[in-house]
Coordinates of all heavy atoms in Angstrom, one line a residue:
M2 N 8.8 9.6 -2.6 CA 7.7 8.6 -2.1 C 8.2 7.2 -2.4 O 8.7 7.0 -3.4 CB 6.4 8.9 -2.7 CG 5.8 10.2 -2.4 SD 4.2 10.4 -3.2 CE 4.0 12.1 -3.1
S3 N 7.8 6.3 -1.5 CA 8.0 5.0 -1.8 C 7.2 4.1 -0.9 O 6.6 4.5 0.1 CB 9.5 4.6 -1.8 OG 9.7 3.3 -2.3
I4 N 7.3 2.8 -1.2 CA 6.6 1.8 -0.4 C 7.6 0.8 0.2 O 8.8 0.7 -0.3 CB 5.6 1.0 -1.2 CG1 6.2 0.3 -2.4 CG2 4.4 1.9 -1.6 CD1 5.4 -0.7 -3.0
E5 N 7.2 0.0 1.1 CA 8.0 -1.1 1.7 C 7.1 -2.3 1.6 O 5.9 -2.3 2.0 CB 8.4 -0.8 3.1 CG 9.1 -1.9 3.9 CD 9.2 -1.5 5.3 OE1 8.2 -1.4 6.0 OE2 10.3 -1.2 5.8
I6 N 7.6 -3.4 1.1 CA 6.9 -4.7 1.1 C 7.5 -5.7 2.1 O 8.7 -6.0 2.0 CB 6.9 -5.2 -0.4 CG1 6.3 -4.2 -1.3 CG2 6.1 -6.6 -0.4 CD1 6.3 -4.7 -2.8
N7 N 6.6 -6.2 2.9 CA 7.1 -7.2 3.9 C 7.0 -8.6 3.3 O 5.9 -9.1 3.1 CB 6.2 -7.1 5.1 CG 6.6 -8.0 6.2 OD1 7.2 -9.1 6.0 ND2 6.3 -7.7 7.5
K8 N 8.2 -9.1 2.9 CA 8.2 -10.4 2.2 C 7.7 -11.5 3.1 O 7.3 -12.6 2.6 CB 9.6 -10.7 1.7 CG 10.0 -9.8 0.5 CD 11.3 -10.3 -0.1 CE 11.6 -9.5 -1.4 NZ 12.7 -10.1 -2.1
Q9 N 7.8 -11.4 4.4 CA 7.3 -12.4 5.3 C 5.8 -12.5 5.2 O 5.2 -13.6 5.3 CB 7.6 -12.1 6.8 CG 9.1 -11.8 7.0 CD 10.0 -13.0 6.7 OE1 9.6 -14.1 7.0 NE2 11.2 -12.7 6.2
K10 N 5.1 -11.4 5.0 CA 3.6 -11.4 4.9 C 3.2 -11.7 3.4 O 2.1 -12.2 3.3 CB 3.1 -10.0 5.3 CG 3.0 -9.8 6.7 CD 2.3 -8.5 7.0 CE 2.0 -8.2 8.4 NZ 1.2 -7.0 8.6
C11 N 4.0 -11.3 2.4 CA 3.5 -11.5 1.0 C 3.2 -12.9 0.7 O 3.9 -13.8 1.1 CB 4.7 -11.0 0.1 SG 4.3 -11.2 -1.6
V12 N 2.1 -13.1 0.0 CA 1.7 -14.5 -0.4 C 1.8 -14.7 -1.9 O 1.4 -15.7 -2.5 CB 0.2 -14.8 0.1 CG1 0.1 -14.8 1.6 CG2 -0.8 -13.8 -0.5
G13 N 2.4 -13.7 -2.6 CA 2.8 -13.9 -4.0 C 1.6 -13.8 -5.0 O 1.7 -14.4 -6.0
C14 N 0.6 -13.1 -4.6 CA -0.6 -13.1 -5.5 C -0.4 -12.3 -6.7 O -1.1 -12.4 -7.8 CB -1.8 -12.6 -4.7 SG -1.7 -10.8 -4.3
G15 N 0.6 -11.3 -6.7 CA 0.9 -10.5 -7.9 C 0.0 -9.3 -8.1 O 0.1 -8.6 -9.1
K16 N -1.0 -9.1 -7.2 CA -2.0 -8.0 -7.5 C -1.3 -6.7 -7.5 O -1.7 -5.8 -8.2 CB -3.1 -8.1 -6.4 CG -4.0 -9.2 -6.6 CD -5.2 -9.2 -5.6 CE -6.2 -10.3 -5.8 NZ -7.2 -10.4 -4.8
C17 N -0.3 -6.5 -6.6 CA 0.3 -5.2 -6.5 C 1.1 -4.9 -7.8 O 1.1 -3.8 -8.3 CB 1.3 -5.1 -5.3 SG 2.5 -6.4 -5.2
R18 N 1.8 -6.0 -8.3 CA 2.5 -5.8 -9.5 C 1.6 -5.5 -10.7 O 1.9 -4.6 -11.5 CB 3.2 -7.2 -9.8 CG 3.9 -7.2 -11.2 CD 4.2 -8.7 -11.6 NE 2.9 -9.4 -11.6 CZ 2.8 -10.7 -11.8 NH1 3.9 -11.4 -11.8 NH2 1.7 -11.3 -11.8
D19 N 0.4 -6.2 -10.7 CA -0.5 -6.0 -11.8 C -1.1 -4.6 -11.8 O -1.5 -4.1 -12.9 CB -1.6 -7.0 -11.8 CG -1.0 -8.4 -12.0 OD1 0.1 -8.6 -12.5 OD2 -1.7 -9.4 -11.7
V20 N -1.3 -4.0 -10.7 CA -2.1 -2.8 -10.6 C -1.1 -1.5 -10.6 O -1.6 -0.4 -11.0 CB -2.9 -2.7 -9.3 CG1 -2.1 -2.4 -8.1 CG2 -4.1 -1.8 -9.4
C21 N 0.1 -1.7 -10.4 CA 1.0 -0.5 -10.4 C 1.1 0.1 -11.7 O 1.5 -0.5 -12.7 CB 2.4 -0.9 -9.9 SG 3.6 0.5 -9.9
P22 N 0.7 1.4 -11.8 CA 0.7 2.0 -13.2 C 2.0 2.3 -13.7 O 2.2 2.6 -14.9 CB -0.1 3.4 -12.9 CG 0.1 3.6 -11.4 CD 0.2 2.3 -10.8
G23 N 3.1 2.2 -12.9 CA 4.4 2.5 -13.4 C 5.2 1.2 -13.6 O 6.4 1.3 -13.9
T24 N 4.6 0.1 -13.4 CA 5.3 -1.2 -13.5 C 6.6 -1.2 -12.7 O 7.6 -1.6 -13.1 CB 5.7 -1.5 -15.0 OG1 4.6 -1.1 -15.9 CG2 5.9 -3.0 -15.2
L25 N 6.4 -0.8 -11.4 CA 7.5 -0.6 -10.5 C 7.7 -1.9 -9.6 O 8.8 -2.0 -9.0 CB 7.3 0.6 -9.6 CG 7.0 1.9 -10.3 CD1 6.8 3.0 -9.3 CD2 8.1 2.3 -11.3
I26 N 6.8 -2.8 -9.6 CA 6.8 -3.9 -8.7 C 7.0 -5.2 -9.5 O 6.4 -5.4 -10.5 CB 5.5 -4.0 -7.8 CG1 5.4 -2.7 -7.0 CG2 5.5 -5.2 -6.9 CD1 4.0 -2.6 -6.3
A27 N 7.8 -6.1 -8.9 CA 8.0 -7.4 -9.5 C 7.9 -8.5 -8.5 O 7.9 -8.2 -7.3 CB 9.4 -7.4 -10.2
L28 N 7.9 -9.8 -8.9 CA 8.0 -10.9 -8.0 C 9.4 -11.5 -8.1 O 9.9 -11.7 -9.3 CB 6.9 -11.9 -8.3 CG 5.4 -11.5 -8.2 CD1 4.5 -12.7 -8.4 CD2 5.1 -10.9 -6.8
D29 N 10.0 -11.9 -7.0 CA 11.3 -12.5 -7.1 C 11.1 -14.0 -7.4 O 10.1 -14.5 -7.6 CB 12.1 -12.2 -5.8 CG 11.5 -12.9 -4.6 OD1 10.7 -13.8 -4.7 OD2 11.9 -12.5 -3.5
E30 N 12.3 -14.8 -7.3 CA 12.3 -16.2 -7.7 C 11.4 -17.0 -6.7 O 11.0 -18.1 -7.0 CB 13.7 -16.7 -7.7 CG 14.5 -16.7 -6.4 CD 15.1 -15.3 -6.1 OE1 14.8 -14.3 -6.8 OE2 15.8 -15.2 -5.1
N31 N 11.2 -16.5 -5.5 CA 10.3 -17.2 -4.5 C 8.9 -16.7 -4.5 O 8.1 -16.9 -3.6 CB 10.9 -17.0 -3.1 CG 12.3 -17.6 -3.0 OD1 12.5 -18.7 -3.4 ND2 13.2 -16.9 -2.4
K32 N 8.5 -15.9 -5.6 CA 7.2 -15.3 -5.7 C 6.8 -14.4 -4.6 O 5.7 -14.5 -4.0 CB 6.1 -16.4 -5.9 CG 6.3 -17.2 -7.2 CD 5.0 -17.8 -7.6 CE 5.1 -18.3 -9.1 NZ 3.8 -18.7 -9.7
R33 N 7.8 -13.6 -4.2 CA 7.6 -12.5 -3.2 C 7.8 -11.2 -3.9 O 8.7 -11.0 -4.7 CB 8.5 -12.7 -2.0 CG 8.3 -14.0 -1.2 CD 6.9 -14.0 -0.5 NE 6.6 -15.3 0.1 CZ 5.9 -16.2 -0.4 NH1 5.4 -16.1 -1.6 NH2 5.7 -17.4 0.2
A34 N 6.9 -10.3 -3.6 CA 6.9 -9.0 -4.3 C 8.0 -8.1 -3.8 O 8.4 -8.2 -2.6 CB 5.6 -8.3 -4.1
Y35 N 8.6 -7.3 -4.7 CA 9.6 -6.3 -4.3 C 9.4 -5.1 -5.2 O 8.9 -5.2 -6.3 CB 11.0 -6.8 -4.2 CG 11.6 -7.1 -5.6 CD1 12.4 -6.2 -6.3 CD2 11.2 -8.3 -6.3 CE1 12.9 -6.5 -7.5 CE2 11.8 -8.6 -7.5 CZ 12.6 -7.7 -8.1 OH 13.1 -8.0 -9.4
I36 N 9.8 -3.9 -4.7 CA 9.7 -2.7 -5.6 C 11.1 -2.6 -6.3 O 12.1 -2.4 -5.7 CB 9.3 -1.5 -4.8 CG1 9.2 -0.3 -5.8 CG2 10.1 -1.2 -3.6 CD1 8.2 0.8 -5.4
K37 N 11.0 -2.6 -7.6 CA 12.3 -2.5 -8.4 C 12.8 -1.1 -8.5 O 14.0 -0.9 -8.5 CB 12.0 -2.9 -9.9 CG 11.7 -4.3 -10.1 CD 11.6 -4.7 -11.6 CE 10.4 -4.1 -12.2 NZ 10.2 -4.4 -13.7
Y38 N 11.9 -0.1 -8.6 CA 12.3 1.3 -8.7 C 11.7 2.2 -7.7 O 10.7 2.9 -8.0 CB 12.0 1.8 -10.2 CG 12.4 0.8 -11.2 CD1 11.5 0.1 -12.0 CD2 13.8 0.7 -11.5 CE1 11.9 -0.8 -13.0 CE2 14.2 -0.1 -12.5 CZ 13.3 -0.9 -13.2 OH 13.7 -1.7 -14.2
P39 N 12.1 2.1 -6.5 CA 11.4 2.8 -5.4 C 11.4 4.3 -5.6 O 10.4 5.0 -5.2 CB 12.2 2.5 -4.1 CG 13.5 1.9 -4.6 CD 13.2 1.3 -6.0
R40 N 12.4 4.9 -6.2 CA 12.4 6.3 -6.4 C 11.4 6.8 -7.4 O 11.1 8.0 -7.5 CB 13.8 6.8 -6.9 CG 14.9 6.7 -5.8 CD 16.2 7.2 -6.3 NE 17.1 7.2 -5.2 CZ 18.2 7.9 -5.2 NH1 18.5 8.8 -6.2 NH2 19.0 7.9 -4.2
D41 N 10.9 5.9 -8.2 CA 9.9 6.3 -9.3 C 8.5 6.2 -8.7 O 7.5 6.6 -9.4 CB 10.0 5.4 -10.5 CG 11.3 5.6 -11.2 OD1 11.9 6.7 -11.0 OD2 11.7 4.8 -12.0
C42 N 8.3 5.7 -7.5 CA 6.9 5.6 -7.0 C 6.4 7.0 -6.7 O 7.0 7.8 -6.1 CB 7.0 4.8 -5.7 SG 5.4 4.8 -4.7
W43 N 5.2 7.3 -7.2 CA 4.6 8.6 -7.0 C 3.4 8.5 -6.0 O 2.7 9.5 -5.9 CB 4.2 9.3 -8.3 CG 3.1 8.6 -9.1 CD1 1.8 8.7 -9.0 CD2 3.3 7.6 -10.2 NE1 1.1 7.9 -9.9 CE2 2.1 7.2 -10.7 CE3 4.5 7.0 -10.7 CZ2 1.9 6.3 -11.7 CZ3 4.3 6.1 -11.7 CH2 3.1 5.8 -12.2
G44 N 3.3 7.4 -5.3 CA 2.4 7.4 -4.2 C 0.9 7.3 -4.6 O 0.1 7.8 -3.9
C45 N 0.6 6.6 -5.6 CA -0.9 6.5 -6.0 C -1.6 5.6 -5.0 O -2.9 5.7 -5.0 CB -1.0 5.9 -7.4 SG -0.6 4.2 -7.6
T46 N -0.9 4.8 -4.3 CA -1.5 3.9 -3.2 C -2.3 2.7 -3.8 O -3.0 2.0 -3.0 CB -2.3 4.6 -2.1 OG1 -3.5 5.1 -2.7 CG2 -1.5 5.8 -1.5
S47 N -2.3 2.5 -5.1 CA -3.1 1.4 -5.6 C -2.6 0.1 -5.1 O -3.4 -0.8 -4.8 CB -2.9 1.4 -7.2 OG -3.5 2.5 -7.7
C48 N -1.3 -0.1 -4.9 CA -0.8 -1.4 -4.5 C -1.2 -1.7 -3.0 O -1.6 -2.8 -2.7 CB 0.7 -1.5 -4.6 SG 1.6 -0.1 -3.8
L49 N -1.3 -0.7 -2.2 CA -1.7 -0.9 -0.8 C -3.1 -1.4 -0.8 O -3.5 -2.3 0.0 CB -1.8 0.5 0.0 CG -0.7 1.5 0.0 CD1 -1.0 2.6 0.9 CD2 0.6 0.8 0.3
K50 N -4.0 -0.8 -1.6 CA -5.4 -1.2 -1.6 C -5.7 -2.6 -2.1 O -6.6 -3.2 -1.8 CB -6.2 -0.1 -2.4 CG -6.3 1.2 -1.6 CD -7.1 2.2 -2.3 CE -6.3 3.0 -3.3 NZ -7.1 4.1 -3.9
E51 N -4.8 -3.0 -3.0 CA -5.0 -4.4 -3.6 C -4.4 -5.5 -2.8 O -4.9 -6.6 -2.9 CB -4.3 -4.4 -5.0 CG -5.0 -3.6 -6.1 CD -6.5 -4.1 -6.2 OE1 -6.7 -5.3 -6.3 OE2 -7.4 -3.2 -6.3
C52 N -3.5 -5.2 -1.9 CA -2.8 -6.3 -1.2 C -3.8 -7.0 -0.2 O -4.3 -6.3 0.7 CB -1.6 -5.8 -0.5 SG -0.7 -7.1 0.4
P53 N -4.0 -8.3 -0.4 CA -5.0 -8.9 0.5 C -4.5 -9.2 1.9 O -5.3 -9.6 2.8 CB -5.3 -10.3 -0.3 CG -4.0 -10.5 -1.0 CD -3.4 -9.2 -1.4
V54 N -3.2 -9.1 2.1 CA -2.6 -9.4 3.5 C -1.9 -8.2 4.1 O -1.2 -8.4 5.1 CB -1.7 -10.6 3.3 CG1 -2.5 -11.9 2.9 CG2 -0.6 -10.3 2.3
Q55 N -2.2 -7.0 3.7 CA -1.6 -5.8 4.3 C -0.1 -5.9 4.4 O 0.5 -5.6 5.4 CB -2.2 -5.5 5.6 CG -3.7 -5.1 5.6 CD -4.6 -6.3 5.5 OE1 -4.5 -7.3 6.3 NE2 -5.5 -6.3 4.5
A56 N 0.6 -6.4 3.3 CA 2.0 -6.5 3.4 C 2.8 -5.3 2.9 O 4.0 -5.2 3.0 CB 2.5 -7.7 2.5
I57 N 2.0 -4.3 2.4 CA 2.7 -3.1 1.9 C 2.4 -1.9 2.8 O 1.3 -1.6 3.2 CB 2.2 -2.8 0.4 CG1 2.3 -4.1 -0.4 CG2 2.9 -1.6 -0.2 CD1 1.7 -3.9 -1.8
R58 N 3.5 -1.2 3.1 CA 3.4 0.1 3.8 C 3.9 1.2 2.9 O 4.9 1.1 2.2 CB 4.3 0.1 5.0 CG 3.9 -1.0 6.1 CD 2.7 -0.6 6.8 NE 2.3 -1.5 7.8 CZ 1.6 -2.6 7.7 NH1 1.2 -3.0 6.5 NH2 1.2 -3.3 8.8
F59 N 3.2 2.3 3.0 CA 3.6 3.5 2.2 C 4.2 4.6 3.2 O 3.6 4.8 4.2 CB 2.3 4.1 1.6 CG 2.5 5.4 0.8 CD1 3.3 5.4 -0.3 CD2 2.0 6.6 1.3 CE1 3.5 6.6 -1.0 CE2 2.2 7.8 0.6 CZ 3.0 7.8 -0.6
Y60 N 5.3 5.1 2.9 CA 6.0 6.0 3.7 C 5.4 7.4 3.6 O 5.2 7.9 2.4 CB 7.5 6.2 3.3 CG 8.3 5.0 3.6 CD1 8.9 4.3 2.5 CD2 8.6 4.6 4.9 CE1 9.7 3.2 2.7 CE2 9.4 3.5 5.1 CZ 9.9 2.8 4.0 OH 10.7 1.7 4.2
L61 N 5.0 8.0 4.7 CA 4.5 9.4 4.6 C 5.7 10.3 5.0 O 6.0 10.4 6.2 CB 3.3 9.5 5.6 CG 2.1 8.7 5.3 CD1 1.1 8.7 6.4 CD2 1.4 9.3 4.0
G62 N 6.3 10.8 4.0 CA 7.5 11.6 4.2 C 7.2 13.0 4.8 O 6.1 13.4 5.0
A63 N 8.3 13.7 5.1 CA 8.2 15.0 5.7 C 7.4 16.0 4.8 O 6.7 16.9 5.3 CB 9.6 15.5 6.0
D64 N 7.6 15.8 3.5 CA 6.9 16.6 2.5 C 5.4 16.5 2.7 O 4.6 17.4 2.2 CB 7.3 16.3 1.1 CG 7.1 14.9 0.7 OD1 7.2 14.0 1.6 OD2 6.9 14.6 -0.5
M65 N 4.9 15.4 3.3 CA 3.4 15.2 3.4 C 3.1 15.4 4.9 O 2.0 15.0 5.3 CB 3.0 13.9 2.9 CG 3.3 13.6 1.5 SD 3.1 11.9 1.0 CE 1.3 11.9 0.9
G66 N 4.0 15.9 5.7 CA 3.7 16.0 7.1 C 3.8 14.7 7.9 O 3.3 14.6 9.0
G67 N 4.3 13.7 7.3 CA 4.3 12.3 7.9 C 5.4 12.1 8.9 O 5.2 11.3 9.8
T68 N 6.5 12.7 8.7 CA 7.6 12.6 9.7 C 7.9 11.1 10.1 O 7.9 10.8 11.3 CB 7.4 13.4 10.9 OG1 6.2 13.0 11.6 CG2 7.4 14.9 10.6
G69 N 8.0 10.3 9.1 CA 8.4 8.9 9.4 C 7.2 7.9 9.6 O 7.4 6.8 9.9
S70 N 6.0 8.4 9.4 CA 4.8 7.5 9.6 C 4.7 6.6 8.4 O 5.2 6.9 7.3 CB 3.5 8.4 9.8 OG 3.7 9.3 10.8
R71 N 3.9 5.6 8.6 CA 3.7 4.6 7.5 C 2.2 4.3 7.4 O 1.5 4.3 8.5 CB 4.4 3.3 7.8 CG 5.9 3.5 7.7 CD 6.6 2.2 8.2 NE 8.0 2.4 8.3 CZ 8.9 1.4 8.2 NH1 8.5 0.2 8.1 NH2 10.1 1.6 8.2
M72 N 1.7 4.0 6.2 CA 0.3 3.9 6.0 C 0.0 2.6 5.3 O 0.8 2.2 4.4 CB -0.2 5.1 5.2 CG -1.7 5.0 5.0 SD -2.2 6.6 4.2 CE -1.5 6.5 2.6
H73 N -1.0 1.9 5.7 CA -1.6 0.8 4.9 C -3.1 0.8 4.9 O -3.7 1.7 5.6 CB -1.0 -0.6 5.4 CG -1.5 -1.0 6.7 ND1 -1.0 -0.5 7.9 CD2 -2.4 -1.9 7.1 CE1 -1.6 -1.0 8.9 NE2 -2.5 -1.9 8.5
T74 N -3.7 -0.1 4.2 CA -5.2 0.0 4.1 C -5.7 -1.4 4.5 O -5.1 -2.4 4.4 CB -5.6 0.3 2.7 OG1 -5.2 -0.6 1.8 CG2 -5.2 1.7 2.3
L75 N -7.0 -1.4 4.8 CA -7.7 -2.6 5.1 C -9.1 -2.5 4.5 O -9.9 -1.5 4.9 CB -7.8 -2.8 6.6 CG -8.6 -4.1 7.1 CD1 -7.8 -5.3 6.6 CD2 -8.7 -4.1 8.6
K76 N -9.5 -3.4 3.6 CA -10.9 -3.4 3.1 C -11.8 -4.1 4.0 O -11.5 -5.2 4.4 CB -10.9 -4.0 1.7 CG -10.4 -3.1 0.6 CD -10.5 -3.9 -0.8 CE -9.8 -3.1 -1.9 NZ -9.6 -3.8 -3.1
R77 N -13.0 -3.5 4.2 CA -14.0 -4.2 5.0 C -15.3 -4.0 4.2 O -16.1 -3.1 4.5 CB -14.1 -3.6 6.4 CG -12.9 -3.8 7.2 CD -13.0 -3.3 8.7 NE -13.1 -1.9 8.8 CZ -14.1 -1.2 9.3 NH1 -15.2 -1.9 9.8 NH2 -14.1 0.1 9.4
G78 N -15.5 -4.9 3.2 CA -16.7 -4.7 2.4 C -16.6 -3.4 1.6 O -15.6 -3.2 0.9
E79 N -17.6 -2.5 1.8 CA -17.6 -1.3 1.1 C -16.7 -0.2 1.8 O -16.5 0.9 1.3 CB -19.0 -0.7 1.0 CG -20.0 -1.6 0.3 CD -19.8 -1.7 -1.2 OE1 -19.0 -1.0 -1.7 OE2 -20.5 -2.5 -1.8
L80 N -16.3 -0.6 3.0 CA -15.5 0.4 3.8 C -14.0 0.1 3.6 O -13.5 -1.0 3.4 CB -15.8 0.2 5.3 CG -17.2 0.5 5.7 CD1 -17.4 0.3 7.2 CD2 -17.7 1.9 5.3
L81 N -13.3 1.2 3.5 CA -11.8 1.2 3.4 C -11.2 1.9 4.5 O -11.4 3.1 4.7 CB -11.4 1.8 2.0 CG -9.9 1.8 1.8 CD1 -9.4 0.3 1.6 CD2 -9.5 2.6 0.5
D82 N -10.4 1.2 5.3 CA -9.6 1.8 6.4 C -8.3 2.3 5.9 O -7.5 1.5 5.3 CB -9.4 0.9 7.6 CG -10.7 0.5 8.3 OD1 -11.7 1.3 8.3 OD2 -10.8 -0.6 8.9
W83 N -7.9 3.5 6.2 CA -6.6 4.0 6.0 C -5.9 4.1 7.4 O -6.3 4.8 8.2 CB -6.6 5.4 5.4 CG -7.2 5.5 4.0 CD1 -8.5 5.6 3.7 CD2 -6.5 5.3 2.8 NE1 -8.6 5.6 2.3 CE2 -7.4 5.4 1.7 CE3 -5.1 5.2 2.4 CZ2 -7.0 5.3 0.4 CZ3 -4.7 5.1 1.1 CH2 -5.7 5.2 0.1
I84 N -4.9 3.2 7.6 CA -4.3 3.1 8.9 C -2.9 3.7 8.9 O -2.1 3.3 8.1 CB -4.3 1.6 9.3 CG1 -5.7 1.0 9.2 CG2 -3.6 1.4 10.6 CD1 -5.8 -0.5 9.1
I85 N -2.7 4.7 9.7 CA -1.5 5.4 9.8 C -0.8 5.0 11.1 O -1.3 5.1 12.2 CB -1.7 6.9 9.7 CG1 -2.4 7.2 8.4 CG2 -0.3 7.6 9.8 CD1 -2.9 8.6 8.4
E86 N 0.5 4.5 11.0 CA 1.3 4.1 12.1 C 2.4 5.2 12.3 O 3.2 5.4 11.4 CB 1.9 2.7 11.9 CG 1.0 1.6 11.6 CD 1.6 0.4 11.0 OE1 2.5 0.6 10.1 OE2 1.2 -0.7 11.3
F87 N 2.4 5.8 13.5 CA 3.3 6.8 13.8 C 4.6 6.3 14.4 O 4.6 5.2 15.0 CB 2.7 7.8 14.8 CG 1.5 8.5 14.2 CD1 0.2 8.1 14.5 CD2 1.7 9.6 13.3 CE1 -0.9 8.7 13.9 CE2 0.6 10.3 12.8 CZ -0.7 9.8 13.1
P88 N 5.7 7.0 14.3 CA 7.0 6.5 14.8 C 6.9 6.2 16.3 O 7.7 5.3 16.8 CB 8.0 7.6 14.5 CG 7.4 8.3 13.4 CD 5.9 8.2 13.5
D89 N 6.1 6.9 17.0 CA 6.0 6.7 18.5 C 5.1 5.5 18.9 O 4.8 5.3 20.1 CB 5.6 7.9 19.2 CG 4.1 8.3 18.9 OD1 3.5 7.6 18.1 OD2 3.6 9.4 19.3
G90 N 4.6 4.8 17.9 CA 3.8 3.6 18.1 C 2.3 3.9 18.1 O 1.5 3.0 18.1
G91 N 1.9 5.2 18.0 CA 0.5 5.5 17.9 C -0.1 5.1 16.5 O 0.6 5.0 15.5
I92 N -1.4 4.9 16.5 CA -2.1 4.5 15.3 C -3.3 5.4 15.1 O -4.1 5.6 16.1 CB -2.4 3.0 15.3 CG1 -1.2 2.2 15.3 CG2 -3.3 2.6 14.1 CD1 -1.5 0.7 15.4
T93 N -3.6 5.8 13.9 CA -4.8 6.5 13.6 C -5.5 5.8 12.4 O -4.8 5.5 11.4 CB -4.5 8.0 13.2 OG1 -4.1 8.7 14.4 CG2 -5.8 8.7 12.7
T94 N -6.8 5.7 12.5 CA -7.5 5.0 11.4 C -8.5 6.0 10.8 O -9.3 6.6 11.6 CB -8.2 3.7 11.8 OG1 -7.2 2.8 12.3 CG2 -8.9 3.1 10.7
V95 N -8.5 6.2 9.5 CA -9.6 7.0 8.8 C -10.3 6.0 7.9 O -9.8 5.4 7.1 CB -8.9 8.1 8.0 CG1 -10.0 8.9 7.3 CG2 -8.1 9.0 8.8
T96 N -11.7 5.9 8.2 CA -12.5 5.0 7.4 C -13.3 5.8 6.4 O -13.9 6.8 6.7 CB -13.4 4.3 8.4 OG1 -12.7 3.6 9.3 CG2 -14.3 3.3 7.6
V97 N -13.3 5.2 5.1 CA -14.0 5.8 4.0 C -15.0 4.8 3.5 O -14.6 3.7 3.3 CB -12.9 6.2 2.9 CG1 -13.7 6.7 1.7 CG2 -12.0 7.3 3.4
D98 N -16.2 5.3 3.2 CA -17.2 4.5 2.5 C -16.9 4.6 1.0 O -17.1 5.7 0.5 CB -18.6 5.0 2.9 CG -19.7 4.1 2.3 OD1 -19.4 3.5 1.2 OD2 -20.8 4.0 2.9
T99 N -16.4 3.6 0.4 CA -16.0 3.7 -1.0 C -17.2 4.0 -1.9 O -17.0 4.6 -3.0 CB -15.3 2.4 -1.5 OG1 -16.1 1.3 -1.2 CG2 -14.0 2.2 -0.7
K100 N -18.4 3.5 -1.5 CA -19.6 3.8 -2.4 C -19.8 5.3 -2.4 O -20.1 5.9 -3.4 CB -20.8 3.1 -1.8 CG -21.0 1.8 -2.5 CD -22.0 0.9 -1.8 CE -23.4 1.4 -1.8 NZ -24.3 0.5 -1.1
E101 N -19.7 6.0 -1.2 CA -19.9 7.4 -1.1 C -18.8 8.2 -1.8 O -19.0 9.2 -2.5 CB -20.0 7.8 0.3 CG -21.2 7.3 1.1 CD -22.5 7.8 0.5 OE1 -22.6 8.9 0.1 OE2 -23.4 6.9 0.4
S102 N -17.5 7.7 -1.6 CA -16.4 8.5 -2.2 C -16.3 8.4 -3.7 O -15.7 9.3 -4.3 CB -15.1 8.0 -1.6 OG -14.8 6.7 -2.0
N103 N -17.0 7.4 -4.3 CA -17.0 7.3 -5.7 C -18.2 8.0 -6.4 O -18.3 7.9 -7.6 CB -16.9 5.8 -6.2 CG -15.5 5.2 -5.9 OD1 -14.6 6.0 -5.8 ND2 -15.5 3.9 -5.6
K104 N -19.0 8.6 -5.6 CA -20.1 9.3 -6.2 C -19.7 10.6 -6.9 O -18.8 11.3 -6.3 CB -21.2 9.7 -5.1 CG -22.1 8.6 -4.8 CD -23.2 9.1 -3.8 CE -24.1 7.9 -3.5 NZ -25.0 8.3 -2.4
Y105 N -20.2 10.9 -8.0 CA -19.8 12.2 -8.7 C -21.0 13.1 -8.7 O -22.2 12.7 -8.8 CB -19.5 11.9 -10.1 CG -18.1 11.3 -10.3 CD1 -17.9 9.9 -10.0 CD2 -17.0 12.0 -10.7 CE1 -16.7 9.3 -10.1 CE2 -15.8 11.4 -10.8 CZ -15.6 10.1 -10.5 OH -14.4 9.5 -10.7
Ligands
LIG201 S1 2.1 3.5 -4.7 FE1 1.4 3.4 -6.8 S2 3.2 4.0 -8.0 FE2 3.9 3.4 -6.0 S3 4.5 1.3 -6.1 FE3 2.4 1.4 -5.4 S4 1.1 1.2 -7.2 FE4 3.2 1.7 -7.9
LIG202 S1 -0.5 -7.8 -3.3 FE1 0.5 -8.2 -1.3 S2 0.5 -10.5 -1.2 FE2 0.1 -10.0 -3.3 S3 2.1 -10.0 -4.3 FE3 1.8 -7.9 -3.6 S4 2.7 -7.7 -1.6 FE4 2.5 -9.9 -2.1

């Protein structure tokens, strides 16, 4: 599993670096994020959810039935959109109410 960070979109806020539980993300000399150890990413998706500009894509590999798809998230208040981009250009969005999903 791994992520891809679009340096053109990155605004250097450092939130992805701060939230990654494996300390896998760093900022370069231009304050743009990059993943130092892509093979160590275990796909917790925390960095996706923190990025304010949707600069991070998570690869959905064949082991997850993704076959080359990529995923990112968009926060809309209490709602969180999981947006999946397919290799053929198709897009699917799954919206989760975070207040409901965090109920125990
Ligand atoms: S998905 Fe999780 S483990 Fe992987 S880089 Fe992002 S925060 Fe780190
Ligand atoms: S959270 Fe997004 S904008 Fe902020 S440093 Fe990471 S990739 Fe860049």
